[in-house]
Amino acid sequence: TRTARRLGLSTCHVGDWEGVEPAVVERLDKGEDAEDVLASVDEGGDEPTALDDLIEECFADKFEIFEIFEALDKSEHEDAKRIKSIIETKSPTSVEVTLEQLRRGKDMPSLADCLKMEFDISQNMMREPNGDFYEGIRAVLVDKDGAPKWDKAFGEVDVAKYFKEAEKKWEP
């Protein structure tokens, strides 16, 4: 929650939306100020949690997978090794493209620019018939063997090719 607020993705945290939704809608229908209504149901969440601290320690301002792996290896956080082992099972292409996307998106002027970049990435990934996207689908949904055979290892991915403008154009 703290991370979402810091990134500007969240302004209000409600653990049980279904429990407060009718009252919120009623107050908004009566014309009450939306910020006041949301502030009245906000449960906080600005307080750092142990996981937030791990995210700050091992992921903040790191855009290379080996920097993240090294930070996770050095971390004394109880979940660091487990998180590293989970990342190591994921598509190296997807992980490295995501890190580059975060690096580039950090300086983009608008959400529309970020969404266009996301669209281009998705289109470029779909153009690889034997790529990791399809391999992930095969391993999880088709054969259901849970054993994907990724195309590249970490550090071998040509990330730049996924950021080329897609043939199909994104329209907001």
Side-chain angles (χ1 to χ4, degrees):
T1 305
R2 180 182 85 172
T3 302
R5 285 187 187 220
R6 189 186 81 237
L7 295 172
L9 301 173
S10 167
T11 58
C12 178
H13 173 72
V14 179
D16 177 22
W17 175 247
E18 291 176 359
V20 299
E21 181 183 16
V24 167
V25 170
E26 181 180 335
R27 291 175 63 189
L28 292 172
D29 284 346
K30 289 180 181 176
E32 287 189 47
D33 181 70
E35 286 186 35
D36 292 341
V37 173
L38 292 176
S40 73
V41 297
D42 187 1
E43 296 173 4
D46 293 338
E47 308 79 27
T49 66
L51 196 54
D52 287 327
D53 292 340
L54 175 68
I55 291 167
E56 290 293 324
E57 174 190 353
C58 298
F59 293 87
D61 298 321
K62 292 178 180 66
F63 300 106
E64 299 293 332
I65 190 61
F66 294 114
E67 286 181 292
I68 292 170
F69 284 165
E70 181 179 350
L72 288 166
D73 284 337
K74 290 179 180 177
S75 177
E76 295 181 14
H77 189 281
E78 65 185 43
D79 290 323
K81 306 299 182 264
R82 180 182 63 82
I83 289 171
K84 180 183 177 196
S85 69
I86 290 170
I87 294 170
E88 289 174 323
T89 68
K90 304 306 177 191
S91 160
T93 299
S94 292
V95 171
E96 292 194 32
V97 167
T98 298
L99 290 172
E100 178 65 13
Q101 183 178 9
L102 290 169
R103 187 189 68 70
R104 291 180 185 208
K106 183 176 161 183
D107 298 321
M108 288 192 159
S110 70
L111 177 59
D113 291 322
C114 290
L115 293 173
K116 181 190 179 312
M117 176 176 61
E118 177 82 19
F119 178 82
D120 290 342
I121 292 167
S122 70
Q123 295 301 299
N124 289 323
M125 287 216 174
M126 299 287 291
R127 292 180 66 203
E128 292 189 325
N130 297 316
D132 284 357
F133 177 77
Y134 294 102
E135 177 60 14
I137 290 173
R138 183 211 56 79
V140 174
L141 300 175
V142 178
D143 296 341
K144 299 181 182 176
D145 61 13
K149 294 165 187 68
W150 304 125
D151 186 41
K152 304 279 186 214
F154 287 108
E156 297 176 355
V157 178
D158 176 14
V159 172
K161 71 181 182 179
Y162 298 101
F163 290 86
K164 294 178 181 171
E165 190 166 328
E167 290 176 17
K168 186 175 179 181
K169 301 300 177 217
W170 178 72
E171 296 185 28

